[in-house]
Amino acid sequence: MEFSIKALLPGRKTSGCCVVGIYAEREMSAAATTLDNAGNGCLRRLLQRGDMEGRIGSTLLLHDVPGIASARVLLVGLGPQAEFGEKQFRRAITATVGALANTGAADAELHLVELAVGRRDIEWRSMQAACAAQTAIYRFEQMKSQPAKNAPALAKVVLAVKTKSEVKRAERGLARGFALAHGVNLARDLGNLPGNVCTPTYLADEARKLAKQYRLKIQVLERADMKKLGMNTLLSVAAGSSEPPKLIVLEYSAGPKKQKPVVLVGKGVTFDTGGISIKPAPEMDEMKYDMSGAGSVLGTIKAIAAMKLAVNMVGIIPATENMPGGRATKPGDIVTSMSGQTVEILNTDAEGRLILCDALTYAERYQPAAVIDIATLTGACVIALGHVVSGLFANNDPLAREVLAAGETSGDAAWHLPLHDEYQEQLHSNFADFANIGGRPAGAVTAACFLSRFTKKYPWVHLDVAGTAWKSGREKGSTGRPVPLLTQFLINRAGKR
Ligand code: BES
Ligand code: MN
Ligand code: ZN
């Protein structure tokens, strides 16, 4: 889909569809009023008949409205004007794209970024609109033998703004929203691919493609390299699998030479059977999503590289399968991590922390300004927070606040959870420095406690995205979260320093 920005009055130019908003109780937006005037009160009459209440997310398609140049008019419900905010704005865009996809319209002009959304400026509104529209048309069809028959005709979208003076800022937002959407959709593709396709080797190849496209520095460490570095906790997870593990390192360096990088570390378990502590069969297929942290790192790199953000960042992805087998790690095995700390592996299903801890130690060599790890780490986080917000843990409050704010701005929110010292006791081991599990209580917290023992040398945030990275049930699929949060975080950093 192609996007552009134009200063346009609704209904004047021919287009496949002209889209305007209607607030609850049939209250017309400014653009709807302009259309109504051009069409001799046709919208007013229609609203009076009760055909469109303006409920948020509802739509009504009209054809050949007299006095209006567009072939169609689409009314989009915005909900009560007093409640119209960021969420409602994104919802209206998504509903619009959904409704347009069911028509034959090849192009459309949207009078939606014109709407007031709290104190958000035209750049924010354009960025959000472009990203919401582009992610709403996402389909995952790579694995179907036949391409979808009824692919939407919609190819061109004009985001209309009120005045010429807004065009420049809107275009910047549009470009960023478009870049973000491509990052989000890359993360979704990688998540949705099955475990037999999206292996550690596949992730490494994808990373190489990104490196080539955007001229990034890339390094892929193999099993032998990991051995040399002493990454035994990472290797202990890979032990049961025939797929070779990879440690992927991508460097994006568009910031000032001397600026310390932000390091993103993404859990890349391309399939998590649980290992010898094997998982029950129901829903085990969803463990193909256990590389979503890795996918979000690649997606974020794609987004910021396309935006040409002036920041330095490094992406580190420990990638492996977690399988049972004759050589697999057994409960009770003790291994020495790259940091030198020994770990008693009491449950081989708590593997995410085992691969992350070595990657977090590896991150030290970049003397990072900040490290954010992203992982589908615990079922306990899903129980605590559901599918609405990601869990956030930190060893540094200003950094935590910065990440939380990026989540709010991007509509990809996280929630700060505790990391009090008292929880650390749950990791006690009689035989090693500590264990890899802390029992049932506060499972998301003790997982973060485990990681905190490897992140003492830099400001660090851990995002547990177990509940937010994908959806289950009828709508099963990757969400691409938290690419919007991470990208916004880096946009903010690029603006500041
Ligand atoms: N990848 C899972 C976490 C997960 C489970 C995410 C379900 C989303 C849905 C992780 O590797 C895992 O298995 N964690 C265990 C930890 C436990 C053994 C301490 C869990 O959450 O049950
Ligand atoms: Mn597991
Ligand atoms: Zn896992």
Side-chain angles (χ1 to χ4, degrees), residues 190-495:
L190 293 172
N192 288 331
L193 281 169
N196 63 326
V197 174
C198 185
T199 59
T201 303
Y202 186 93
L203 285 179
D205 289 344
E206 283 294 305
R208 285 197 188 93
K209 270 195 227 158
L210 272 184
K212 198 158 174 207
Q213 187 178 0
Y214 297 105
R215 297 169 183 225
L216 315 174
K217 193 171 156 201
I218 182 163
Q219 223 184 329
V220 178
L221 305 191
E222 307 289 335
R223 199 191 292 267
D225 305 311
M226 298 175 206
K227 266 206 184 110
K228 262 187 228 148
L229 286 163
M231 297 180 151
N232 297 310
T233 51
L234 169 49
L235 288 168
S236 77
V237 176
S241 170
S242 312
E243 289 290 339
K246 307 275 173 182
L247 187 95
I248 305 161
V249 185
L250 277 167
E251 292 177 39
Y252 172 83
S253 317
K257 271 240 156 58
K258 288 208 173 130
Q259 186 186 64
K260 292 175 171 179
V262 170
V263 178
L264 302 183
V265 178
K267 172 179 174 183
V269 174
T270 58
F271 197 84
D272 181 12
T273 65
I276 297 297
S277 315
I278 199 161
K279 289 181 179 293
E283 277 116 58
M284 205 210 270
D285 67 289
E286 296 191 3
M287 284 299 116
K288 72 174 182 179
Y289 292 114
D290 213 18
M291 39 52 66
S292 297
S296 76
V297 171
L298 295 178
T300 300
I301 292 177
K302 187 172 180 74
I304 66 163
M307 290 177 196
K308 300 194 171 86
L309 282 191
V311 289
N312 294 333
M313 81 82 86
V314 179
I316 303 181
I317 295 171
T320 177
E321 281 185 341
N322 185 23
M323 297 286 284
R327 293 183 194 283
T329 297
K330 303 169 289 297
D333 285 0
I334 296 176
V335 295
T336 305
S337 66
M338 184 180 175
S339 73
Q341 301 178 97
T342 61
V343 181
E344 185 184 15
I345 301 175
L346 288 174
N347 189 321
T348 63
D349 198 11
E351 86 297 343
R353 59 199 82 179
L354 295 175
I355 70 168
L356 289 169
C357 70
D358 278 342
L360 289 166
T361 302
Y362 190 80
E364 287 174 7
R365 68 183 55 202
Y366 292 98
Q367 297 183 308
V371 176
I372 304 176
D373 79 72
I374 309 98
T376 48
L377 204 60
T378 64
C381 191
V382 188
I383 301 304
L385 300 174
H387 305 286
V388 179
V389 294
S390 305
L392 180 149
F393 301 85
N395 67 4
N396 179 297
D397 273 338
L399 180 62
R401 279 195 291 274
E402 207 181 327
V403 176
L404 289 167
E408 294 299 328
T409 302
S410 58
D412 182 12
W415 192 256
H416 200 162
L417 293 171
L419 203 59
H420 294 66
D421 276 343
E422 287 85 338
Y423 291 107
Q424 296 280 356
E425 291 158 24
Q426 288 178 236
L427 295 175
H428 173 79
S429 162
N430 280 355
F431 306 110
D433 292 350
F434 44 87
N436 77 325
I437 53 169
R440 296 246 299 161
V445 181
T446 52
C449 283
F450 181 95
L451 298 178
S452 75
R453 294 167 183 241
F454 299 86
T455 59
K456 304 251 188 248
K457 299 206 172 133
Y458 43 68
W460 161 73
V461 157
H462 158 57
L463 292 172
D464 193 332
V465 295
T468 51
W470 77 88
K471 290 183 183 169
S472 308
R474 183 84 190 94
E475 284 186 84
K476 191 188 284 185
S478 171
T479 60
R481 290 177 71 179
V483 173
L485 174 152
L486 296 169
T487 304
Q488 188 63 48
F489 173 82
L490 290 164
I491 290 175
N492 294 349
R493 282 247 157 168

